[in-house]
């Protein structure tokens, strides 16, 4: 049987090799990084005047081993494990080889640059989750949204993100991490731009859907992409630090919403048909992280591990050399040479796929064949997640992702809805009730708010240039009255009799007269559209709750990053989910707005460690050829759980606390217990 690997040797200058990969070494794993030996008496200008003691590693005095010694010990241990193993698969051999290369490349400027770029992409995903909720109080007035339309607007973003995670996660394993990430960020930027100018509800909904499909693919790609530039001992910590950008996205969204949306003067209008209010400016500003990440990716290379999996050895070698040289130049050691001479790479079906793409026929036929082939490859990859080797891990991870998202997103909706419910109860407790009042020849030139008028009589009265907010007229009589320039919110007339009355330039449509008798009533020049009152409609508490909830995860992020590689992923996930389950019982004590905000901060701060651990272990459980696909499938399950949880939890607001609390508690306990059944991956090389 032919060797499924190709050996590629790279030379420099006059044919001198960079090194001797595959030839030296007593452990049977040929990877040589030693520099050419110098003559015994040779000395450079740099070392002249320094004795051996000056060159001694400073940690040696404290019994701290040199990093190179630690690296050599790890390689020796891995080599010993390979020699004692009955059989080492080609995939495992490539994984060990790649890990050794990444250790020699080091962790430095290149990884930190990529960290910032990918962090901005992750931040864009976070902003997308917040933007609709923050603009909804203003957008519903601007576009006259019904309750059903508001619900669909919140739902459509998560539907788009669910589909996008599945689609782009699968494509990233076949087309490339960088290429797919650039496309999804471009989709998000373009859709955000058009949605900010969309005047109708239908167009706005469509562009938010496209934006969600785009940015939904960023999370699986970002984690798969970044993990393949990290060595084993850095992976857990730095993937956890990357999660900080999701927190920063929430802070950025809530802070900019607080600063922009209440500023009504920041908008403009072109007649009555085109209105660009300040909340639309906020939608544009929310695209800035995606734009910054898009521009940054123009200067970043493709993942070399992806290229190796697809038999693109030359490109992978050049990128690894770039990583090596960038890091060591930044550390002041430009003389270090990238000593890899050849990299073994598996033979794939990529050549056959390229041949299909370039086959004869029309451009449309080639596109159809290419699309069908790519779809087949992606679906085959998805089905392989449920093969014998990965079935148990996939099932456990799916349940853990689902239970965590169901509880987290369900409570994330429940917290602000409970605050609104408490505000509404407090508001209703202050309602003024007027019984059988009789008003004749009176000019109402002051606003009416939070009032109920029962069995009243209004004869020859005028209501001019006033606002009616939360006003209800029941069983009342209006005779020869005149209404002009009325703006109303939550105002209705029920079981009233209205005779010989004129309504001019008002928003009191016939729909607001419920079971009323209208005799000789005239509606003239009704107001069109909805009317914004930013001072009242944009409650600062909306932004404050979002801001504090995002900021509260900072301690949990820091702790999980520092201990991810010390105590392991499994203990982080299981412990965090079980502690979060215990925290849900504090919600029985949420009798005030301040208490709800406090419990929200506590829950978010504790549960974020589980999120970080889940995302880290997801990239480590699956091989490179399935990594983004698996993350995409699991992230799609996460978004489905978010839709389900938010819908169920919101339906119990104002009815009972018991069911949401018990549901979240049971889900978190189940997920936490199952997490303890997962294999620990902190000392495992990426397959």
């Amino acid at each position: 049987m032919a060797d499924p690997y190709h050996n590629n040797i790279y030379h420099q200058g006059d044919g001198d090799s960079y090194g001797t990969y595959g030839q030296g070494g007593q452990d049977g794993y040929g990877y040589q990084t030693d520099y050419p030996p110098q003559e015994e008496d040779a000395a450079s200008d740099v070392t002249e005047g320094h004795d051996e003691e000056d060159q001694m590693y400073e940690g040696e005095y404290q019994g701290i081993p040199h990093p190179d010694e630690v690296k050599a010990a790890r390689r020796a241990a891995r080599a010993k494990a390979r020699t004692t193993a009955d059989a080492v698969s080609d995939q495992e051999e490539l994984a060990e080889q790649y890990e050794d290369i990444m250790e020699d490349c080091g962790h430095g400027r290149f990884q930190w640059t990529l960290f910032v770029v990918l962090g901005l992409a992750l931040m864009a995903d976070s902003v997308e989750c917040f933007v609709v909720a923050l603009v909804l109080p203003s957008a519903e007035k601007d576009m006259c949204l019904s309750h059903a339309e508001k619900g669909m607007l919140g739902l459509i973003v998560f539907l788009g993100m669910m589909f996008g995670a599945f689609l782009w996660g699968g494509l990233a394993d076949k087309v490339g991490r960088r290429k797919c990430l650039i496309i999804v960020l471009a989709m998000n930027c373009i859709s955000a731009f058009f949605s900010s100018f969309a005047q109708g509800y239908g167009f706005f909904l469509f562009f938010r859907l496209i934006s969600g499909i785009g940015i939904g693919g960023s999370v699986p790609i970002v984690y798969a992409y970044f993990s393949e530039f990290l060595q084993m001992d850095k992976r857990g910590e730095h993937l956890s630090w990357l999660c900080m950008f999701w927190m920063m996205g929430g802070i950025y969204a809530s802070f900019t919403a607080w600063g922009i949306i209440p500023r009504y003067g920041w908008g403009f209008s072109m007649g009555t048909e085109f209105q660009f209010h300040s909340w639309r400016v906020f939608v544009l500003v929310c695209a800035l992280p995606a734009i910054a990440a898009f521009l940054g990716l123009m200067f970043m290379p493709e993942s070399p591990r992806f290229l190796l999996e697809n038999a693109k050895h030359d490109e992978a070698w050049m990128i690894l050399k770039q990583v090596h040289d960038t890091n060591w130049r930044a550390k002041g050691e430009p003389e270090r040479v990238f000593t890899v001479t050849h990299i073994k790479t598996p033979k794939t079906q990529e050549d056959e796929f390229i041949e299909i793409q370039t086959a004869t026929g029309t451009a449309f036929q080639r596109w159809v064949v290419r699309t069908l082939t790519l779809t087949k490859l992606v679906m085959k990859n998805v089905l392989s997640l449920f093969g014998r080797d990965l079935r148990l891990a996939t099932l456990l991870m799916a349940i853990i992702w689902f239970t965590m998202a169901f509880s987290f997103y369900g409570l994330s909706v429940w917290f602000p809805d409970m605050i609104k419910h408490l505000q509404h109860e407090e508001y209703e407790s202050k309602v003024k009730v007027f019984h059988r009042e009789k008003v004749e020849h009176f000019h109402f030139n002051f606003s009416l708010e939070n009032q109920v008028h029962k069995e009243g009589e209004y004869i020859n009265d005028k209501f001019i240039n006033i606002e009616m907010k939360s006003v209800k007229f029941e069983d009342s009589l209006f005779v020869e009255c005149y209404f002009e320039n009325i703006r109303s919110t939550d105002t209705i007339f029920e079981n009233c009799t209205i005779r010989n009355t004129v309504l001019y330039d008002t928003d009191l449509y016939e729909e607001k007269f419920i079971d009323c008798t209208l005799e000789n009533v005239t509606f003239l020049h009704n107001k069109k559209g909805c009317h914004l009152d930013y001072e009242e409609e944009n409650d600062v508490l909306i932004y404050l709750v979002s801001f504090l909830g995002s900021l509260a995860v900072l301690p949990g992020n820091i702790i999980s990053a520092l201990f991810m590689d010390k105590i392991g992923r499994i203990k982080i996930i299981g412990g965090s989910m079980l502690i979060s389950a215990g925290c849900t019982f504090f919600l029985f004590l949420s009798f005030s707005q301040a208490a709800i905000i406090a419990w929200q901060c506590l829950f978010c701060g504790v549960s974020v460690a589980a999120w970080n651990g889940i995302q880290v272990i997801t990239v480590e459980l699956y091989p490179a050829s399935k990594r983004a696909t698996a993350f995409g499938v699991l992230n799609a399950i996460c978004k489905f759980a978010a839709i389900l949880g938010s819908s169920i939890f919101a339906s119990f607001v104002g009815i009972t606390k018991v069911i949401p609390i018990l549901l979240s508690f049971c889900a978190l306990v189940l997920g936490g217990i199952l997490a303890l059944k997962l294999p620990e991956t902190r000392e495992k090389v990426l397959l």
Side-chain angles (χ1 to χ4, degrees):
M1 182 176 179
D3 183 5
Y5 288 83
H6 302 295
N7 295 339
N8 290 272
I9 302 179
Y10 303 89
H11 300 279
Q12 181 186 32
D14 299 327
D16 296 333
S17 173
Y18 272 104
T20 57
Y21 193 104
Q23 298 174 6
Q26 299 177 356
D27 55 6
Y29 188 68
Y31 190 88
Q32 179 175 333
T33 59
D34 298 329
Y35 301 148
Q38 294 183 349
E39 295 183 8
E40 190 172 335
D41 297 331
S44 66
D45 294 337
V46 177
T47 60
E48 188 174 359
H50 293 75
D51 56 24
E52 293 181 0
E53 292 182 357
D54 291 332
Q55 300 301 317
M56 185 177 293
Y57 170 57
E58 60 181 10
E60 188 172 337
Y61 293 108
Q62 304 163 359
I64 302 174
H66 193 282
D68 290 340
E69 296 177 5
V70 176
K71 185 191 303 181
R74 280 201 300 264
R75 287 185 179 176
R78 291 200 295 267
K80 184 178 180 180
R82 285 195 304 272
T83 56
T84 57
D86 295 336
V88 179
S89 67
D90 295 339
Q91 190 179 57
E92 291 172 339
E93 186 177 352
L94 175 60
E96 296 281 356
Q97 175 186 2
Y98 191 79
E99 178 65 26
D100 289 346
I101 295 173
M102 291 312 302
E103 285 182 353
D104 283 337
C105 290
H107 189 94
R109 175 177 292 176
F110 181 90
Q111 280 85 358
W112 285 114
T113 304
L114 184 64
F115 172 81
V116 173
V117 173
L118 296 182
L120 288 168
L122 193 61
M123 187 174 168
D125 176 86
S126 174
V127 169
E128 188 70 21
C129 293
F130 285 91
V131 63
V132 170
L134 292 172
V135 304
L136 204 52
S138 302
E140 67 172 311
K141 290 293 181 183
D142 199 5
M143 294 189 286
C144 303
L145 303 182
S146 65
H147 289 294
E149 289 173 333
K150 287 191 293 182
M152 178 55 69
L153 191 56
L155 177 67
I156 201 70
V157 174
F158 278 94
L159 284 174
M161 295 174 80
M162 179 177 71
F163 180 74
F166 181 87
L167 172 67
W168 296 110
L171 289 175
D173 279 332
K174 296 301 177 185
V175 178
R177 281 85 160 104
R178 177 179 176 271
K179 183 182 295 185
C180 286
L181 190 55
I182 287 174
I183 294 173
V184 302
L185 291 172
M187 287 178 63
N188 180 251
C189 297
I190 295 171
S191 300
F193 175 81
F194 282 112
S195 67
S196 67
F197 287 93
Q199 297 296 299
Y201 170 74
F203 282 110
F204 186 77
L205 191 72
F206 172 76
F207 287 122
R208 295 320 299 180
L209 172 64
I210 300 301
S211 179
I213 292 174
I215 205 62
S218 65
V219 174
I221 300 173
V222 161
Y223 282 99
Y225 191 6
F226 191 50
S227 67
E228 292 168 352
F229 283 97
L230 298 173
Q231 59 200 65
M232 182 174 62
D233 61 330
K234 301 284 187 182
R235 197 167 58 229
E237 178 184 352
H238 288 273
L239 285 174
S240 298
W241 288 128
L242 188 66
C243 298
M244 294 271 286
F245 280 91
W246 213 92
M247 173 200 73
M248 294 169 60
I251 294 175
Y252 173 82
S254 54
F255 188 76
T256 52
W258 196 346
I260 294 175
I261 294 179
R263 306 298 189 268
Y264 182 69
W266 286 21
F268 64 90
S269 61
M270 299 173 63
T272 58
E273 298 300 324
F274 185 86
Q275 304 286 330
F276 195 88
H277 297 297
S278 57
W279 68 268
R280 298 179 182 274
V281 178
F282 168 70
V283 173
L284 279 179
V285 171
C286 283
L288 292 181
I291 294 173
F294 176 84
L295 295 176
L297 276 173
M298 296 294 105
F299 304 95
M300 293 291 107
E302 180 58 85
S303 164
R305 185 60 190 273
F306 166 79
L307 296 173
L308 290 173
E309 290 290 333
N310 289 273
K312 298 180 180 179
H313 357 73
D314 296 354
E315 295 177 49
W317 186 88
M318 291 298 294
I319 293 169
L320 289 169
K321 184 178 186 302
Q322 176 190 350
V323 175
H324 177 279
D325 295 347
T326 301
N327 287 341
W328 289 113
R329 277 199 304 266
K331 294 177 181 179
E333 300 183 45
E335 70 279 3
R336 288 226 187 189
V337 179
F338 186 56
T339 55
V340 177
T341 55
H342 71 269
I343 307 174
K344 292 183 177 181
T345 52
K347 186 181 293 184
T348 69
Q349 300 299 319
E350 190 69 20
D351 295 338
E352 180 183 347
F353 182 51
I354 294 173
E355 184 179 352
I356 292 173
Q357 295 179 48
T358 56
T360 57
T362 65
F364 177 74
Q365 289 174 331
R366 290 196 299 270
W367 178 83
V368 170
V369 172
R370 180 182 180 183
T371 302
L372 291 175
T373 305
L374 193 56
T375 303
K376 181 180 177 181
L377 292 174
V378 170
M379 293 308 299
K380 183 179 179 181
N381 221 19
V382 171
L383 293 176
S384 69
L385 300 178
F386 301 94
R388 185 181 60 183
D389 296 337
L390 298 174
R391 185 185 301 125
L392 180 59
T394 301
L395 179 61
L396 289 175
M397 288 304 301
I399 297 173
I400 293 168
W401 272 91
F402 182 90
T403 54
M404 189 66 206
F406 179 81
S407 302
F408 181 83
Y409 286 101
L411 289 176
S412 296
V413 169
W414 187 81
F415 285 127
D417 282 358
M418 275 298 295
I419 291 175
K420 292 178 182 178
H421 175 69
L422 291 177
Q423 288 177 327
H424 182 68
E425 283 187 336
E426 183 181 358
Y427 186 77
E428 284 192 333
S429 67
K430 299 177 181 179
V431 65
K432 298 178 181 178
V433 181
F434 300 86
H435 286 278
R436 297 183 178 180
E437 61 177 350
K438 186 173 183 179
V439 183
E440 296 185 49
H441 304 284
F442 186 79
H443 183 185
F444 288 87
N445 57 1
F446 51 87
S447 295
L448 307 178
E449 181 177 356
N450 200 18
Q451 298 177 3
V452 176
H453 299 261
K454 297 183 178 181
E455 300 180 6
E457 293 184 12
Y458 305 91
I459 312 298
N460 203 9
D461 295 326
K462 293 183 179 179
F463 301 80
I464 300 177
N465 297 329
I466 67 172
E467 294 182 10
M468 295 181 177
K469 183 177 181 181
S470 300
V471 179
K472 183 178 182 181
F473 293 93
E474 293 182 14
D475 303 313
S476 298
L477 174 66
F478 293 83
V479 179
E480 296 185 354
C481 293
Y482 181 74
F483 294 80
E484 181 179 347
N485 192 22
I486 306 296
R487 294 194 303 169
S488 65
T489 304
D490 297 328
T491 297
I492 61 172
F493 297 77
E494 187 173 340
N495 261 343
C496 295
T497 300
I498 304 171
R499 298 172 184 159
N500 305 323
T501 296
V502 176
L503 295 95
Y504 179 84
D505 191 24
T506 74
D507 59 5
L508 299 175
Y509 311 120
E510 293 189 42
E511 293 79 10
K512 294 189 177 184
F513 296 87
I514 302 171
D515 297 329
C516 293
T517 301
L518 305 181
E519 300 176 3
N520 195 23
V521 176
T522 305
F523 295 88
L524 297 175
H525 301 286
N526 285 344
K527 291 183 181 293
K528 294 182 179 179
C530 302
H531 316 290
L532 292 168
D533 185 352
Y534 282 97
E535 292 183 358
E536 297 187 3
E537 295 300 332
N538 290 284
D539 191 347
V540 179
L541 195 61
I542 297 173
Y543 314 123
L544 182 62
V545 170
S546 176
F547 178 81
L548 292 177
S550 300
L551 188 62
V553 306
L554 179 60
N557 265 320
I558 294 174
I559 292 172
S560 63
L562 295 177
F563 289 95
M564 189 67 71
D565 286 322
K566 291 181 173 62
I567 67 175
R569 289 81 162 118
I570 304 308
K571 293 179 181 177
I572 288 282
I573 299 171
S576 175
M577 293 186 75
L578 293 175
I579 295 173
S580 299
C583 291
T584 58
F585 281 101
F586 287 110
L587 301 180
F588 283 113
L589 305 177
S590 53
F591 301 114
S592 65
Q593 297 178 36
I596 292 177
I597 295 174
W599 302 137
Q600 177 189 15
C601 293
L602 176 64
F603 178 79
C604 292
V606 173
S607 61
V608 70
W611 276 121
N612 293 356
I614 289 170
Q615 289 159 345
V616 170
I617 201 172
T618 300
V619 300
E620 295 176 333
L621 280 174
Y622 296 92
S625 60
K626 301 174 177 62
R627 184 167 296 124
T629 301
F631 208 122
V633 170
L634 294 171
N635 199 251
I637 293 173
C638 166
K639 295 302 185 289
F640 173 74
I643 294 170
L644 194 63
S646 57
S647 301
I648 293 174
F649 281 49
S651 65
F652 289 102
V653 172
I655 299 174
T656 179
K657 300 177 187 176
V658 176
I659 294 179
I661 292 174
L662 288 180
L663 284 175
S664 58
F665 173 81
C666 293
L668 289 169
V669 169
L670 174 62
I673 293 174
L674 290 179
L676 300 177
K677 302 293 184 181
L678 290 170
E680 182 56 70
T681 56
R682 59 174 166 165
E683 295 182 355
K684 175 185 174 184
V685 297
L686 283 181
L687 294 178

